[in-house]
Structures are given as structure tokens and as C-alpha cells.
Amino acid sequence: MVSLVGCHFHALILKTVLAAWMRLKYPHIAIGALASSAPILQFEDIVPPETFYDIVSNSFRRESSSCFNTIKESWDTLVTEGKKQNGLRQLTKTFHLCRELNSTDDLANWLESAYSYLAMVNYPYAAEFVMPLPGHPIKEVCRKIDCCPDGTSTLERIFEGVSIFYNYTGQAKCFELEDESDVGTDGWNWQACTEMVMPMSSSRDASMFQTYDYNLSSFQEECWKDHNVKPRPTWITTEFGGHDIKATLKSFGSNIIFSNGLLDPWSGGSVLQNVSETIVALVAEEGAHHIDLRFSKKEDPEWLVEQRATEIKLIEGWLEKFYQERKSKFDM
């Protein structure tokens, strides 16, 4: 399985992760940090490697068990079809690809990317963060998959569903597997092969993706082949901690907000409980990736309006205390 998250998310993930780490490492520079959707625990063995893909899968299963099962069964169907005589040509036709398919792996990666993106941008309103998408896009994908006429094949259903992500506007006539949403990932892939080593796997039962285990040796070989670099899987935890994050934050941290939506697959690697009076976890059951950092709009649900207000109140408190303490020192 390839790296699934494009440059838009990598940039934001890094910024919010770095916000928390900067507050810990340089409290004399940063008064506080809002770490939204910051997976600071997605390293080494701190959280199970299957966490990310299990959360993606749960987002589909909660909308429709039949949709979940269709996607889960589609991988074997895809491989079987690809092995047939002229199978790759038929898959090219089924998925309206601009160029003839060379490998079923390429198509599988294209599909996997869409599902993971959809889980991250499962916002309650229409948005164009990565692609133009409707509100509750996973619900729309599953509706497309489930509502195909009787006799529609599994892969035809999959194409109808994934078209919500890749062609919601209906303007695309065919599809390049190297989609524009993946442009710029080389920088992230290099970083993932050096410092930001995040173990990922896909479980047999809970995941709708192809089952696979995380293999550090294979990952190291791939990184050397692609970038001529060697991963440092323990560098993050050595530099910033993580294995006993509550003790670390309680002993050395303050003024950090960890905000997460449980629909966001990155939430599984973040801090979801309050650690102290000044290290606060704001958790939204229906929140997706970085939703609190998006521009406010009239379609915002009430819980999101309240969460942003809470964040502002906490930050105002940090600033007020900082300037009061600073003033008292100068008045002495």
C-alpha cells in the first residue's frame, strides 16, 4: 500500500504536530499551541499500526454495512479480473482510465487513496479542500454503491462510488491514476522515509482495505530505492517523546489544545483526554480532519461553533495570563 495522504494534508498535519512539539521544546518562544488533528502518537509502537485504516473503514461501515462489504470484497475481485485474458483492458474500460492499466496494484492504490481522503474530508457541508465534494461525502459514496441497479457488478459499483471523489462535478471524461490531488507528495514521501516514520497496517476483520502487515525492512528497502535514504523510526520519540505522553505533557507541557474529530483517521494517533488544566483535549464525535481550522460558514453545526469559541476563550486566557505576569515583572 502506498502513501495515501496528499500534500494538502501532509502540510497541515506537520504544522499542527509541530505546534505541539514547539510548545514543548520552546516554551519561551511559543505561548501556547492549537494542535488540531495532530497525530503525535502515530510513531513506533505507541498506537496499533492498524489504527488509521480501521478508523477509515469504520466511517464507511457506520454509513452502510453493505457498502463496507462491497469495498472489502472488491480487492479480490479486482485481482481476479486483472488476471483474465484482456483483464487489464477491461478494467481500463470499467474505470474510464485515460491510459491502459499496467497493473491492478496501480488501480488499487488509486482507490485506496480516494477512500482515505474521503474519511478525512467527511465534512457536514460541501467543500473543495482536496476535490469538489458534497456534504457527508462518504454517505454519498455508499449511496452510489448501494443503489446501483440489480445486476451491476462489484467493480461497476466501486466505480460509481469512487466517482463521487474523483468526478463529483461530472467534468472528467477519463481518469489519470496519478491524480492531481497527489501532486507534491514527493516531499512528504522523503520526510516519511527519514524522520516522520509512521507505521501503518491493515487488519483482516476491522478494515475494508486489503490485509497487510507493517514491515520495517521492506519499508527501509523502498526508501533506499526511491530516495537513497534510511528511515529513522525512533527519531521522533527520542526527540519529542511519546511513549508516556501523559507524564511528559504533565511534567513539561502547558497551554496546548489537542482538538480532534473522531471521523478523522488521524485522531487515533492524537491526545484524546485532558492531561491538565492547561493541556486540554477537545473531541468531536462528528468532526473530520482540521474542521475547526476551516473558515466558518453558515452551515457549521452548533458543536463546531461552540468548539471554536472554547478554543478562542482558552487562547485568550493564555495571553491574558502571559501579559499579566510580564507586567508584574516589569512593575517590580
Side-chain angles (χ1 to χ4, degrees):
M1 189 175 288
V2 298
S3 177
L4 298 186
V5 191
C7 57
H8 307 282
F9 287 109
H10 290 140
L12 283 170
I13 289 167
L14 282 173
K15 288 175 183 176
T16 57
V17 166
L18 290 172
W21 287 337
M22 184 173 180
R23 173 59 186 167
L24 274 173
K25 298 283 283 189
Y26 307 106
H28 60 294
I29 296 176
I31 296 173
L34 171 55
S36 175
S37 302
I40 65 169
L41 307 179
Q42 195 77 44
F43 302 93
E44 280 193 71
D45 57 353
I46 302 174
V47 299
E50 64 269 17
T51 299
F52 181 95
Y53 291 112
D54 281 358
I55 295 176
V56 174
S57 301
N58 286 337
S59 291
F60 282 81
R61 179 156 41 194
R62 81 182 205 131
E63 293 296 345
S64 165
S65 59
S66 61
C67 175
F68 172 94
N69 289 331
T70 298
I71 295 172
K72 189 175 182 66
E73 294 164 3
S74 69
W75 309 111
D76 287 342
T77 305
L78 181 62
V79 172
T80 300
E81 186 66 30
K83 290 179 179 178
K84 294 179 180 178
Q85 186 175 7
N86 296 322
L88 293 178
R89 185 173 300 173
Q90 180 58 46
L91 288 172
T92 300
K93 181 179 179 180
T94 299
F95 286 90
H96 297 210
L97 305 181
C98 300
R99 305 176 189 178
E100 187 161 338
L101 188 64
N102 292 319
S103 165
T104 54
D105 287 342
D106 294 339
L107 182 54
N109 289 334
W110 187 71
L111 295 171
E112 289 164 354
S113 294
Y115 300 141
S116 295
Y117 273 120
L118 284 160
M120 285 181 275
V121 296
N122 197 20
Y123 301 130
Y125 47 71
E128 297 187 10
F129 184 24
V130 179
M131 296 284 203
L133 291 172
H136 303 287
I138 289 181
K139 182 187 294 290
E140 292 302 309
V141 169
C142 284
R143 184 179 65 81
K144 280 285 191 178
I145 289 175
D146 289 343
C147 294
C148 286
D150 291 345
T152 306
S153 72
T154 296
L155 295 183
E156 287 171 336
R157 290 175 184 272
I158 293 298
F159 173 74
E160 290 298 321
V162 81
S163 291
I164 291 291
F165 180 75
Y166 285 117
N167 193 26
Y168 181 62
T169 62
Q171 295 178 355
K173 302 304 180 185
C174 64
F175 302 98
E176 296 282 358
L177 294 187
E178 294 77 22
D179 189 76
E180 64 264 23
S181 65
D182 291 330
V183 172
T185 57
D186 284 349
W188 167 258
N189 290 337
W190 181 88
Q191 195 159 21
C193 277
T194 52
E195 299 171 349
M196 300 288 287
V197 180
M198 295 180 168
M200 297 279 188
S201 68
S202 177
S203 59
R204 181 174 300 278
D205 297 321
S207 174
M208 68 181 191
F209 295 92
Q210 301 171 87
T211 302
Y212 79 100
D213 295 321
Y214 176 68
N215 188 311
L216 178 59
S217 296
S218 297
F219 181 68
Q220 289 172 328
E221 291 174 5
E222 185 178 344
C223 289
W224 185 257
K225 175 185 175 184
D226 294 343
H227 302 287
N228 202 32
V229 295
K230 294 182 179 179
R232 293 188 285 171
T234 63
W235 186 85
I236 289 293
T237 53
T238 301
E239 186 72 12
F240 300 106
H243 283 99
D244 193 358
I245 194 64
K246 287 187 178 179
T248 299
L249 291 172
K250 190 172 289 187
S251 299
F252 305 107
S254 63
N255 294 359
I256 302 175
I257 301 169
F258 290 98
S259 65
N260 285 278
L262 296 185
L263 298 184
D264 178 18
W266 292 111
S267 66
S270 189
V271 176
L272 302 178
Q273 295 180 335
N274 292 345
V275 175
S276 67
E277 289 186 1
T278 61
I279 300 181
V280 179
L282 301 179
V283 181
E285 291 281 343
E286 297 296 316
H289 196 62
H290 294 312
I291 190 170
D292 55 324
L293 297 186
R294 295 183 57 78
F295 290 113
S296 61
K297 52 196 307 180
K298 62 182 181 181
E299 296 92 346
D300 286 339
E302 187 61 32
W303 65 262
L304 179 56
V305 175
E306 292 175 357
Q307 178 172 322
R308 289 190 180 123
T310 299
E311 292 173 356
I312 291 171
K313 185 176 180 180
L314 288 168
I315 293 170
E316 287 176 341
W318 301 342
L319 293 171
E320 182 180 359
K321 181 179 180 181
F322 172 80
Y323 286 114
Q324 283 179 348
E325 292 177 348
R326 182 175 174 179
K327 185 175 184 299
S328 63
K329 286 182 181 179
F330 282 107
D331 288 345
M332 290 179 63

